[in-house]
């Protein structure tokens, strides 16, 4: 296959989950969401940013968030995860990719994601250097089943596509 016919769009998937704990802020997609619980983690535990970061790294075959920002590094303690996402976007851009779009599913029994969707999309679009129309976020409950249904935590799944810059 000639080089110009090779795939110029690459897709990656990312998954993340964090456990709820009282008395800490809940931050998803860089948005602070008023809620009785936040998410426990070494960084700010922004599961949306983490899943999306892994999706972008996966599309570029550049490893994963844990290899780039190890949780054994004190510099990553309470770190702003949107800042980590920004660094990863710059990294894949330096390899000749641009983000094309992302689609994100947040699975949480509560809180509702809908009221915060617009702010999350704006934040993420700015960080990815894409229009807001290239950032989709969907909230789902787990229908009361299992650890998510019990309100123990949140899971997030993200897919991202990158285009290879041609000029
Ligand atoms: Mg995480």
């Amino acid at each position: 296959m000639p080089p110009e016919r090779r795939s110029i769009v690459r897709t990656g998937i990312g998954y993340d989950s964090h456990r709820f704990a009282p008395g800490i802020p809940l931050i998803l997609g860089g948005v602070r969401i008023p809620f009785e619980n936040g998410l426990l983690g070494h960084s700010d535990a922004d599961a949306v940013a983490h899943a999306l970061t892994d999706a972008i790294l996966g599309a570029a075959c550049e490893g994963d968030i844990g290899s780039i920002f190890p949780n054994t590094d004190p510099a990553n303690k309470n770190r702003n995860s949107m800042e980590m996402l920004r660094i990863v976007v710059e990294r894949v851009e330096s390899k000749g990719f641009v983000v094309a779009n992302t689609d994100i599913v947040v699975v949480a029994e509560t809180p509702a994601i809908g009221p915060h969707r617009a702010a999350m999309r704006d934040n993420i679009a700015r960080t990815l250097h894409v229009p807001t129309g290239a950032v989709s976020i969907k909230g789902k409950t787990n229908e009361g089943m299992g650890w998510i249904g019990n309100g123990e935590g949140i899971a997030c799944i993200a897919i991202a596509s990158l285009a290879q810059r041609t000029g």
Side-chain angles (χ1 to χ4, degrees):
M1 188 183 292
E4 68 272 16
R5 295 292 304 279
R6 289 190 193 133
S7 169
I8 58 163
V9 174
R10 301 172 60 140
T11 299
I13 189 168
Y15 169 86
D16 195 35
S17 59
H18 282 271
R19 180 184 295 275
F20 277 131
I24 52 176
L26 174 60
I27 298 168
L28 291 174
V31 176
R32 184 162 179 167
I33 295 174
F35 190 55
E36 69 226 39
N37 293 311
L39 293 170
L40 273 181
H42 186 72
S43 66
D44 65 5
D46 184 336
V48 168
H50 293 179
L52 176 53
T53 299
D54 263 353
I56 291 170
L57 286 169
C61 262
E62 285 287 319
D64 61 49
I65 189 170
S67 63
I68 298 175
F69 306 102
N71 63 9
T72 48
D73 184 346
N76 297 324
K77 179 85 183 140
N78 297 322
R79 189 157 182 182
N80 179 336
S81 297
M82 292 299 283
E83 167 73 6
M84 295 194 273
L85 176 61
R86 184 184 65 75
I87 290 167
V88 160
V89 168
E90 286 171 1
R91 183 185 180 113
V92 300
E93 284 177 344
S94 77
K95 304 269 179 183
F97 295 105
V98 291
V99 177
N101 77 300
T102 182
D103 189 18
I104 299 164
V105 181
V106 182
V107 192
E109 215 62 24
T110 53
I113 297 305
H116 311 286
R117 189 199 323 265
M120 290 164 65
R121 290 178 71 206
D122 284 348
N123 263 352
I124 291 167
R126 254 195 321 276
T127 306
L128 301 188
H129 307 142
V130 299
T132 308
V135 177
S136 163
I137 301 179
K138 305 191 288 278
K140 301 287 288 183
T141 73
N142 215 37
E143 298 283 343
M145 296 181 287
W147 63 268
I148 296 175
N150 292 336
E152 290 175 44
I154 275 181
C156 185
I157 303 160
I159 189 166
S161 291
L162 307 181
Q164 264 167 348
R165 244 189 346 245
T166 52

